[in-house]
Amino acid sequence: MGTKEEAQGTLSSTDFGVAASAFILNWNTICSSFPPWTWVLSHHQVEGYLSLENILLSSTQEEHGELSCPGPGKHSLQEDPIDVDDATLVHINPCKVHYYDLHIIYCNSYRVPVLYFRAYDSDGEPLEFDEIEKDLPAYSKKALSDSKWTFITQEEHPYLNRPWYKLHPCGTSEWMKLLFHADDALAKTGVAIELYLVAWLSVVGHVVGLRIPFEMMKQL
Amino acid sequence: MEEAQKYVWEGAIPLQIHLHESEVTTLPTPPPALILAPRIGYLPLLVPQIKPHFSNALPPGSPDTVWFDYNGLPLKWYIPTGVLFDLLCAEPERPWNLTVHFRGYPSNILVPCEGEDSVKWGFINSLKEAAYIINGNCKNVMNMSQPDQVELWRSVLNAGNLEAYVRISSKLKLGTVGDEYTDSGGQGQVKTGNYFTLQDAVKSILPEYFPNKSSTNEESSRDEDENEQKVPSEEGEKYLSENVESFYPSDNVEIKLVRIQGIEPKMEIPFSWVVKNLTNPEHYLHICVCLKVPQVL
C-alpha cells in the first residue's frame, strides 16, 4: 500500500486481495470456532470477494436466558459466544431467527471495501427492511433515521446481479484514515494492509451488530 | 462543440408501451401508449404520462410499483433509457416496444423503485461517485445548495434545460479532460501526432477482445453478448459491469460494434471529444459494446 493511499484511507484492488488473504488466514486461525470467511472468485476468475454466509445475527436471542445453539448448518456470530452443551439448548422461536449472508466486495470507484448483505428467515424467505432494521443495534437505527443520505441501500450485487443491501462506502476512507493515523506504530511498520480489513470490519461490522472476536482486535 | 451536447441532450427514443396482458380488464384491449422518451432520462419518470393512458383498463385495488420489460426481460430502471435501448436493441427497433406492469414487481431481480425520488437519489449517487473518482472526494456534490440541487434535477427531469444544467454542473468542477484535440486556436483542428482514441479507451477496458495476431476466425456469429461500460470523465478510471454473463473464451470473440448515445463513432475519434460531448448528466460515459461470438459447435 503506497503511502499516498494509506494517507487517504483507501487501498488498491491488488492490496485488497492481499488484505483479504491475510484476513482469512487470521480469522480462520484465531477464530477457529467461528464459521470461516471464504474467498469467492468471480468475473472470469480475475476478481474476487470475501464471503461469510448463513450466520445468525438475530438480536432476538437476548430474549432467551441463555445463548442458544442454532440449527444444523447454521452458525451464530453473536456478541460473546460461550460454549454450549446440549443440556442448555433452548428452543428458538423459528419465526424470530434471522440469517445473514455477508460479502465484502472491493469498490473500484471509492477504492475501499464495501459490505453487502442479505437477510432471510429459516425458510429462506428474504426479510423486509423493517425486519432487518429491528436486528440493528440501537445506534444504527438512530443513524438511519437521522441521516440525510441513507447509508443502507438496496443495490445490485456487482457479481450476482440480484438486489442486496449495501452499506454506502462514501465515508469509509475518512474514518479508515483516522483509524490508521491514530496509531503511529501501525503506519510505520507497513503492516497496514494486512490489518486493513480487521480494522475496517471492526467499524462496519458494528453497524450490523457483528462483533469481531477480541483476539482479532488485539492485533490492532 | 456545444452543438454536439445539445444534440445528445435532445435525443429521444420513440416508445410503444403495451400494458401487460395479465393486467388488462377491459375489452377491447387498450391501445399502446406512444411516448417520446428522452435518451438521458429514465423509464420511471415516464409513468405520469403512461398511467393515465391505462388507468381505465387496470384491475381495481391499489397498484404496486411500476416496472417495464422488453421481450420478457425486466428493465433496470436506474439505467438511462438511451443506454437500455442501445444495449438491448442491436438492430434499433423504432418504435421500441416495451411492456408496462403495474403489479407483481420482481423484487428478487430488480432493486426497489419508489418513483421519481428513487431515480433522483440514484442519479445523485452516480454523480457523487463520478465526483469521487475525478476529484478524490464528493464534497462539491454534497455541498450543493438546495436550490441548485432542485434546478439540476429539474433540468435532467425534463431534459429540456441544457443551459441550466451546464451552469450548475460547472460549479461542481467535474471537467478534467484537457482538450487534446484542439490546438490553442480552438478551431477544432485535430492535432497530428498521438492522442488517446476511443479505440484506445475500449482496448484498455476490454483488452481480451483485441487480438494481437491477425484473426483467422471464420465462424459466423450466432449470438450477441453485450457489455455495458461506465467510464466517468477521467481517463484511466474504469468501472465494468456486464449485463450478460459471457461463457465463451475470449479467443474467438470480437467486438462487432461500439455504440454511444445511439451513435457508432469511428474508433479513431479522440476520446477526449467523446467524453466531452457524449457523457450523460451524471457524468458517466455509457459505452455499449456488442460482441460477435462464434457459433457453439
Side-chain angles (χ1 to χ4, degrees):
Chain A
M1 190 151 76
T3 352
K4 186 180 175 208
E5 292 253 45
E6 214 173 280
Q8 291 171 348
T10 56
L11 77 178
S12 70
S13 110
T14 328
D15 283 340
F16 174 73
V18 172
S21 306
F23 178 76
I24 288 180
L25 204 59
N26 254 334
W27 177 280
N28 297 348
T29 314
I30 294 176
C31 317
S32 50
S33 58
F34 285 78
W37 283 87
T38 55
W39 178 254
V40 180
L41 277 175
S42 203
H43 257 181
H44 314 291
Q45 316 295 298
V46 170
E47 290 163 17
Y49 57 93
L50 286 167
S51 164
L52 182 61
E53 296 187 354
N54 281 338
I55 59 162
L56 269 175
L57 278 181
S58 172
S59 59
T60 57
Q61 283 193 333
E62 282 154 19
E63 291 176 352
H64 302 276
E66 301 121 60
L67 190 69
S68 324
C69 204
K74 307 279 191 237
H75 304 278
S76 175
L77 206 59
Q78 218 25 55
E79 307 282 66
D80 289 317
I82 50 181
D83 283 315
V84 175
D85 63 58
D86 287 347
T88 57
L89 273 179
V90 172
H91 176 69
I92 303 177
N93 179 356
C95 302
K96 294 267 193 171
V97 176
H98 296 164
Y99 298 102
Y100 282 75
D101 290 343
L102 306 180
H103 287 180
I104 303 179
I105 306 181
Y106 180 73
C107 174
N108 280 296
S109 307
Y110 289 97
R111 301 178 77 75
V112 290
V114 177
L115 182 72
Y116 283 80
F117 65 93
R118 68 175 172 191
Y120 39 96
D121 62 22
S122 39
D123 291 325
E125 286 299 311
L127 296 180
E128 295 292 329
F129 188 67
D130 50 6
E131 291 173 278
I132 295 178
E133 219 178 332
K134 288 188 207 147
D135 286 345
L136 297 177
Y139 43 78
S140 294
K141 283 185 215 161
K142 183 168 193 303
L144 265 183
S145 55
D146 287 348
S147 181
K148 177 185 164 191
W149 307 89
T150 324
F151 68 96
I152 296 184
T153 53
Q154 251 192 317
E155 273 185 37
E156 208 171 270
H157 189 289
Y159 301 110
L160 303 179
N161 278 317
R162 287 288 180 269
W164 277 55
Y165 288 97
K166 161 184 163 181
L167 245 55
H168 205 277
C170 71
T172 304
S173 60
E174 290 305 309
W175 48 259
M176 282 306 293
K177 214 182 342 186
L178 291 174
L179 265 181
F180 278 109
H181 284 185
D183 193 328
D184 283 332
L186 199 62
K188 283 177 190 145
T189 59
V191 171
I193 306 180
E194 282 153 32
L195 294 177
Y196 187 99
L197 278 173
V198 183
W200 177 86
L201 195 58
S202 69
V203 179
V204 168
H206 227 52
V207 175
V208 292
L210 171 74
R211 284 279 217 107
I212 306 281
F214 181 67
E215 291 80 11
M216 290 221 45
M217 297 290 285
K218 270 198 301 197
Q219 299 169 85
L220 288 176
Chain B
M1 296 316 131
E2 234 197 52
E3 220 180 289
Q5 261 191 310
K6 204 159 172 289
Y7 186 78
V8 163
W9 199 265
E10 290 171 3
I13 316 269
L15 303 181
Q16 187 163 245
I17 306 200
H18 309 257
L19 180 62
H20 192 256
E21 54 193 6
S22 68
E23 300 182 33
V24 177
T25 58
T26 58
L27 274 176
T29 348
L34 294 170
I35 304 225
L36 204 57
R39 274 187 155 273
I40 59 164
Y42 301 84
L43 290 175
L45 302 178
L46 303 172
V47 171
Q49 286 175 260
I50 298 171
K51 199 159 170 199
H53 186 93
F54 293 116
S55 53
N56 293 335
L58 289 176
S62 58
D64 206 344
T65 319
V66 183
W67 58 284
F68 297 84
D69 83 68
Y70 173 56
N71 286 343
L73 177 75
L75 298 179
K76 296 182 189 180
W77 51 265
Y78 51 87
I79 297 186
T81 311
V83 178
L84 285 172
F85 181 66
D86 289 343
L87 204 57
L88 298 173
C89 268
E91 292 299 322
E93 195 184 295
R94 286 191 173 92
W96 193 25
N97 286 288
L98 298 182
T99 307
V100 67
H101 303 250
F102 291 89
R103 279 171 176 68
Y105 195 85
S107 42
N108 57 331
I109 301 176
L110 287 183
V111 166
C113 175
E114 260 119 62
E116 188 190 318
D117 267 350
S118 299
V119 183
K120 178 176 164 192
W121 290 121
F123 173 83
I124 299 277
N125 271 327
S126 294
L127 196 58
K128 270 171 65 178
E129 199 173 331
Y132 192 92
I133 294 172
I134 295 170
N135 291 333
N137 66 73
C138 329
K139 284 187 217 150
N140 289 344
V141 179
M142 309 247 354
N143 295 337
M144 263 202 291
S145 71
Q146 188 65 3
D148 271 357
Q149 260 193 62
V150 170
E151 217 185 320
L152 180 74
W153 178 241
R154 202 167 282 160
S155 71
V156 173
L157 193 57
N158 302 321
N161 205 340
L162 177 59
E163 275 156 24
Y165 172 79
V166 169
R167 186 171 17 101
I168 299 176
S169 71
S170 59
K171 291 191 206 174
L172 298 174
K173 307 226 182 303
L174 292 177
T176 59
V177 179
D179 283 341
E180 293 156 36
Y181 66 97
T182 51
D183 61 22
S184 50
Q187 294 299 309
Q189 294 160 342
V190 174
K191 241 192 335 206
T192 52
N194 290 332
Y195 51 82
F196 196 72
T197 63
L198 174 59
Q199 167 122 335
D200 292 331
V202 177
K203 196 168 178 180
S204 66
I205 304 175
L206 298 173
E208 61 267 33
Y209 300 129
F210 287 83
N212 289 326
K213 47 194 192 298
S214 56
S215 179
T216 53
N217 172 31
E218 285 174 291
E219 288 126 324
S220 56
S221 63
R222 171 193 84 118
D223 219 340
E224 272 161 18
D225 234 338
E226 293 165 58
N227 286 315
E228 187 205 335
Q229 320 269 340
K230 282 191 225 173
V231 177
S233 312
E234 181 189 30
E235 295 172 8
E237 291 297 338
K238 312 149 197 164
Y239 176 60
L240 169 67
S241 103
E242 287 179 359
N243 284 324
V244 178
E245 281 288 307
S246 169
F247 294 105
Y248 304 96
S250 305
D251 285 14
N252 297 322
V253 180
E254 282 176 357
I255 292 184
K256 182 176 166 180
L257 61 82
V258 170
R259 203 179 268 156
I260 308 174
Q261 299 289 5
I263 305 165
E264 287 167 42
K266 289 197 158 65
M267 297 304 282
E268 304 80 51
I269 202 173
F271 188 59
S272 56
W273 185 92
V274 174
V275 164
K276 188 165 199 279
N277 293 284
L278 303 184
T279 34
N280 275 55
E282 80 282 11
H283 274 270
Y284 269 82
L285 177 71
H286 299 262
I287 306 176
C288 301
V289 177
C290 284
L291 301 175
K292 189 161 57 177
V293 162
Q295 202 155 14
V296 173
L297 299 171

